[in-house]
Amino acid sequence: MNNTTDILRVGIDIGSTTLKICVLDGEGRVVHHAYRRHNANPAAVAADEVEALGSKTGGRRLQVMVTGSVGMGYAERAGLPFEQEVIAASEAVKHLHPGVRTFIDIGGEDSKMIFFEEGRVPDMRMNGNCAGGTGSFIDQAATLLGVETSAVDALAAGAQTLYPIASRCGVFSKTDIQNLLARGVSKEDVAASMLRAVAMQVVSALARGVEVKPRVFLCGGPFAFLPQLRRQMREVLELEEKDMVVPEHPELVPAMGCALKACGEAMTAEELKSRLTHSSTTATRRSPSPNLGEEQDREASPFNSSPKLGEVDARSADGGVCSTGLQPLFESKDEYDIWLSKDSCMEVPRTEGIIAGSEYWLGVDSGSTTTKLVLVDSEGRMVYRDYQFNRGDSYQTFVTALQKLRDSVGDAASVRIVASAATGYGESLLRTAFGLDYGIVETMAHFAAARAVDPDVSFVLDIGGQDMKAIFAQHGAIRRIEINEACSSGCGSFIMTFANQLGYDVADFARMACFARHPYDLGTRCTVFMNSKVKQAMREGAGVDDIAAGFSYSVVKNCLFKVLKLRSTAELGDHIVVQGGTFKNHSVVRALERLTGAEVRFTDCPELSGAYGAALYALGKSKNEK
């Protein structure tokens, strides 16, 4: 058994979203491989895969090397050798295809390019803190298209026309994609246009004037599973099919490079599994190294030295060491239950059931990602509500919502909608297409809804799918309005994107956040830059619940510090009302309380506030016009 021919060489690539394993025998042949999404638990997934490897290879000993953007921390704790992924990939390329001149790799949250010149050290380049032109960019676009990422390729294959889509940032691309869908552009064309944008972003960001010479080697999960992305890259580079090299397993290249370089101590699969498991349970919970930009943000914040910031000593209530000093959102389930029973959790005035022969007023909020519909009676009480995701088509979504409303009424002919009003992203479209009576600016609709539940409201914070609105009021009148610009880092899609990437739906993600013992401070960063922070959290052993709680804090920090730039919490007044689907997540409401020290009021249906305010506006306008 000690003969070197009995030893298998194992490369483990732990990336931001996936784990790859490649196993080579003494002749350099692939005898086993694996590719799995790790959902922020790479050590457990690696242990499972190593156990499967042990079953397949018996008692053969293993020489192991680790790579990947998340792999370094696990390698250090497990006492395993580590190689930087670009170098590992370069090793695999030189071994498999020595005639390659350019290497292009697209991963989950990074992209790489290597230029090979005979007699010169390879020129290696990686993207910076931007996930534009990466797998996560494609994941986000797939969500907007309402399909799984695996379905994007089939859509793109049926495209007829390409349209320009911003690829520098996943945030900016959302607006372009939604505008194309709203204009009736087919999902096939949008999918292909998005893949073209990815290819263009990779080349423009990494080549930077250097000629991309054939043959060009493509690797990484997106290239492996999206042939249409390979096609778009070939067309962008203006190359022939023969100029492109795609290995049998493009997703395994860095892992294969590690396997080729693996040397040193040999161990059994059981010993390797034990090391990986131990690396997870003994992960240090230390404060993350401050990002320069974040450190400046904190120094500029008026809450930095205030106990209201929600920070506690490094030792948590359960005696463990907190990762960042952020206070748990709730100390216990009992505290959470008591919090829910307070007066700050308000019910919107409502009466159940639509009565035949009655008159009602309709409000619709056509947002960037969802459509909300509310019906109120003559006293402003909510009698019907509906909430649907647009799936890229706000027009058809409203048609479906109206049909549901009609179906819910026993005798539709006997019910009269006296007046209707629209607000939100699709206000103009719906008013024109359906002849709705009124249009109302979003901020005014949300203010009307807030006053209905708290006439003395002093501050309204609405966080939607991709936008954020803050209203400062005094004596029943608006004093100042602030909105976010081209960044969704403090919005609902910010949380949804990362929850989905980590393998959870938003509701479960928020529920986990409420009871996290060691919230991880992710700082105030944009959606794209947050990727690197999440990877750092995983490297340092933070649990998914800690990361989820960190997102709740981060959403609020972005609102307070980046958008509003508050000088003091006194600006918010004593009657704070929060609205928007993001605040269905009680973890975000609680984070706002922790960070400001104020009591925050919220309703049992914050996601319907815009539609509710529009319905109240229609009610008031029709009465005034009588």
Side-chain angles (χ1 to χ4, degrees), residues 255-393:
M256 182 177 292
C258 275
L260 289 167
K261 290 172 65 68
C263 58
E265 178 187 4
M267 65 196 76
T268 64
E270 187 61 34
E271 290 171 337
L272 176 57
K273 177 184 175 182
S274 176
R275 289 197 186 192
L276 291 170
T277 303
H278 184 70
S279 74
S280 177
T281 58
T282 60
T284 57
R285 289 185 175 274
R286 61 184 183 275
S287 298
S289 303
N291 175 280
L292 179 59
E294 291 170 15
E295 188 174 19
Q296 291 171 342
D297 287 342
R298 288 176 56 81
E299 289 175 353
S301 166
F303 309 120
N304 189 38
S305 60
S306 168
K308 292 181 180 180
L309 186 58
E311 295 184 348
V312 294
D313 291 337
R315 189 159 296 278
S316 66
D318 62 3
V321 179
C322 283
S323 62
T324 62
L326 286 178
Q327 188 175 359
L329 297 172
F330 295 99
E331 295 291 348
S332 66
K333 179 65 164 57
D334 288 342
E335 183 184 24
Y336 175 68
D337 291 338
I338 293 172
W339 180 78
L340 279 181
S341 67
K342 295 192 305 180
D343 292 339
S344 56
C345 180
M346 304 173 290
E347 288 189 2
V348 170
R350 64 165 54 92
T351 179
E352 297 298 331
I354 299 175
I355 302 173
S358 297
E359 295 181 336
Y360 297 101
W361 288 259
L362 175 68
V364 56
D365 180 2
S366 179
S368 58
T369 57
T370 58
T371 293
K372 287 78 66 177
L373 189 148
V374 164
L375 212 61
V376 301
D377 64 11
S378 59
E379 297 181 27
R381 297 176 300 185
M382 189 182 297
V383 298
Y384 177 85
R385 57 183 178 173
D386 184 54
Y387 180 99
Q388 297 188 46
F389 284 96
N390 290 338
R391 305 298 182 190
D393 191 342

Side-chain angles (χ1 to χ4, degrees), residues 136-149 152 155 165-166 169-182 185-188 190-191 194 367-370 389-394 397 425 465-466 488 492-494 496-497 500:
S136 64
F137 178 91
I138 298 172
D139 287 342
Q140 292 180 34
T143 299
L144 291 177
L145 290 170
V147 300
E148 296 293 327
T149 303
V152 168
L155 284 175
I165 292 178
C169 173
V171 175
F172 298 153
S173 73
K174 292 178 181 178
T175 301
D176 287 347
I177 291 174
Q178 286 167 338
N179 285 339
L180 290 173
L181 293 171
V185 173
S186 71
K187 289 186 177 182
E188 288 80 1
V190 173
M194 179 270 295
S368 58
T369 57
T370 58
F389 284 96
N390 290 338
R391 305 298 182 190
D393 191 342
S394 55
T397 302
Y425 178 83
Q466 285 182 219
S488 67
S493 60
F494 178 76
M496 180 182 294
T497 295
N500 293 340

Side-chain angles (χ1 to χ4, degrees), residues 114-133:
I114 306 175
F115 299 95
F116 297 97
E117 282 289 343
E118 189 175 351
R120 299 180 61 181
V121 175
D123 181 359
M124 303 179 183
R125 304 180 179 190
M126 293 184 66
N127 66 329
N129 288 325
C130 177

Side-chain angles (χ1 to χ4, degrees), residues 587-606:
S587 60
V588 181
V589 181
R590 184 60 168 170
L592 179 57
E593 290 190 335
R594 289 292 200 201
L595 288 166
T596 63
E599 182 175 283
V600 175
R601 293 169 171 82
F602 60 101
T603 71
D604 55 345
C605 53

Side-chain angles (χ1 to χ4, degrees), residues 57-80:
T57 60
R60 298 182 69 175
R61 299 181 69 79
L62 314 172
Q63 290 178 318
V64 184
M65 180 169 284
V66 179
T67 190
S69 56
V70 178
M72 180 179 290
Y74 285 95
E76 289 177 351
R77 292 190 292 273
L80 298 171

